[in-house]
């Protein structure tokens, strides 16, 4: 008899078109409404956004700040830093380049403030530049030093005959060349079905795995859930399982030797990615010198069973 578990935070209520809460890449699929964004969230925001967004924001912010100070220098009189060209655009460009030199504390010397107002503004801008680049340096260090798991999960689930019964499987590997120390995996099954009131409700089960923890992982690990009498999938046929409105939520943790600490990664599988009566092909082989060669392109490769 399959044993249900309490709601792990996903909620019992569901709907006919409910999306999975955790995406395959581990990101949250929850839409937050009326959430207040405060200054305390800035660090997390800049640490979590993709690299291209991070550098785009830096470039845009740097450019806008220089444009702002360029307008200020033109407003107080460009003559306080350099002779006017008699043209607004040319004066604005001179103010922009002087601002860039001041903000970065480069100071080529070709343009220098002469009036009291220009000196005060330049001093204030230099302070803004020091604080800004210190902040950016801290963010860069935080992004590089943050311990992150680098696990690649197979794109598919497979359902196949196993031993004297059936089993649900997926595979994973380390994208880095390091060895995973004491990897451990936990899998929760969420099934959405109609109740007596014709309302969709979620049921949660902690799946029993063939092995949930190993000493180390240098190549590939196939996660196996045997569908026996204690499995929540035991009452379903293969065809029914493939059409089931179910999601697997996977939590993986291991000791990452590069960072010297334990790291975590999550993912999820919809049953729409299920392959029935298939098996994974070998993803590693031995070269002429006897070395084990791990082919990352074959992680999700399958073949049909006879």
């Amino acid at each position: 008899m399959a044993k249900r578990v309490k709601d792990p935070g996903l909620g019992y209520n569901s709907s006919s078109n409910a999306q999975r809460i955790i995406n395959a890449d581990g990101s949250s699929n929850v839409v937050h409404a009326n959430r207040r964004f405060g200054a305390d969230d800035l660090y997390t925001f800049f640490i979590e956004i993709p690299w291209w967004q991070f550098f785009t924001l830096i470039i845009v912010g740097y450019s806008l700040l220089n444009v702002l100070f360029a307008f200020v220098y033109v407003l107080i009189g460009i003559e306080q830093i350099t002779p006017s060209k008699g043209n607004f655009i040319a004066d604005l460009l001179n103010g922009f380049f002087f601002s860039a030199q001041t903000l970065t504390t480069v100071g080529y010397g070709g343009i220098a403030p002469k009036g009291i107002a220009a000196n005060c503004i330049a001093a204030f801008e230099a302070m803004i530049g020091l604080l800004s680049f210190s902040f950016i340096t801290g963010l860069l260090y935080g992004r590089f030093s943050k311990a992150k798991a680098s696990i690649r999960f197979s794109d598919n689930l497979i359902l196949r005959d196993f031993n004297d019964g059936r089993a649900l499987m997926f595979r994973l590997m380390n994208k880095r060349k390091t060895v995973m120390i004491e990897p451990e995996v936990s899998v929760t099954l969420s099934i959405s079905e109609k109740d007596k009131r014709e309302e969709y409700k979620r049921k949660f089960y902690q799946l029993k795995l063939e092995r949930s923890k190993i000493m180390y992982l240098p190549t590939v690990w196939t996660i196996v859930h045997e569908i026996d009498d204690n499995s929540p999938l035991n009452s379903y046929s293969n065809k029914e399982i493939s059409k089931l409105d179910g999601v697997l939520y996977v939590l993986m943790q291991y000791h990452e030797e590069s960072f010297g600490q334990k790291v975590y990664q999550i993912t999820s599988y919809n049953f729409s990615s299920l392959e029935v009566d298939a098996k994974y092909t070998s993803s590693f082989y031995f070269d002429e010198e006897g070395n084990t060669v791990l082919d990352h392109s074959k992680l999700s490769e399958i073949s049909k069973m006879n």
Side-chain angles (χ1 to χ4, degrees), residues 13-36:
N13 293 329
S14 186
S15 66
S16 58
N17 62 342
Q19 302 293 317
R20 52 184 169 181
I21 294 179
I22 303 297
N23 295 316
D25 62 359
S27 61
S28 174
N29 202 29
V30 177
V31 178
H32 292 265
N34 301 318
R35 188 182 77 88
R36 294 183 178 180

Side-chain angles (χ1 to χ4, degrees), residues 135-168:
F135 180 67
I136 293 171
T137 301
L139 290 174
L140 283 171
Y141 174 79
R143 291 180 68 93
F144 275 110
S145 63
K146 181 182 178 182
K148 291 183 179 180
S150 186
I151 305 169
R152 184 182 171 200
F153 295 90
S154 59
D155 298 328
N156 45 29
L157 291 166
I158 64 171
L159 177 62
R160 51 163 290 187
D161 293 338
F162 185 76
N163 293 336
D164 296 327
R166 300 174 296 165
L168 190 67

Side-chain angles (χ1 to χ4, degrees), residues 8 141 172-173 178 203 251 263 278 281 285 287:
Y141 174 79
L172 59 90
M173 65 165 56
T178 56
K203 299 177 182 178
L251 171 63
V263 293
T281 60
Y285 59 90
D287 61 15

Side-chain angles (χ1 to χ4, degrees), residues 129-267:
L130 288 172
L131 292 175
S132 300
F133 285 105
S134 297
F135 180 67
I136 293 171
T137 301
L139 290 174
L140 283 171
Y141 174 79
R143 291 180 68 93
F144 275 110
S145 63
K146 181 182 178 182
K148 291 183 179 180
S150 186
I151 305 169
R152 184 182 171 200
F153 295 90
S154 59
D155 298 328
N156 45 29
L157 291 166
I158 64 171
L159 177 62
R160 51 163 290 187
D161 293 338
F162 185 76
N163 293 336
D164 296 327
R166 300 174 296 165
L168 190 67
M169 305 179 186
F170 62 89
R171 288 203 301 193
L172 59 90
M173 65 165 56
N174 191 357
K175 291 194 291 186
R176 300 190 180 108
K177 296 179 67 175
T178 56
V179 176
M180 294 182 182
I181 308 298
E182 293 186 342
E184 184 176 359
V185 64
S186 176
V187 181
T188 301
L189 170 64
S190 170
I191 299 178
S192 295
E193 293 179 319
K194 287 185 179 180
D195 60 11
K196 296 179 181 180
R197 298 180 180 179
E198 294 297 306
E199 296 178 349
Y200 282 91
K201 296 291 183 181
R202 287 191 181 101
K203 299 177 182 178
F204 301 99
Y205 303 90
Q206 190 71 34
L207 294 189
K208 181 181 178 182
L209 305 177
E210 181 188 41
R211 298 183 70 181
S212 60
K213 184 177 182 179
I214 56 179
M215 291 181 59
Y216 57 89
L217 178 64
T219 55
V220 177
W221 187 8
T222 301
I223 308 300
V224 179
H225 166 66
E226 291 193 58
I227 304 177
D228 53 19
D229 294 338
N230 296 320
S231 172
L233 300 173
N234 186 51
S235 60
Y236 299 95
S237 66
N238 287 359
K239 186 176 181 180
E240 289 172 332
I241 292 177
S242 63
K243 295 182 179 180
L244 198 64
D245 186 6
V247 181
L248 289 186
Y249 294 101
V250 181
L251 171 63
M252 180 73 181
Q253 57 179 306
Y254 67 96
H255 180 84
E256 173 57 69
E257 59 182 358
S258 299
F259 298 99
Q261 67 184 82
K262 184 169 287 188
V263 293
Y264 302 84
Q265 187 167 328
I266 55 178
T267 189

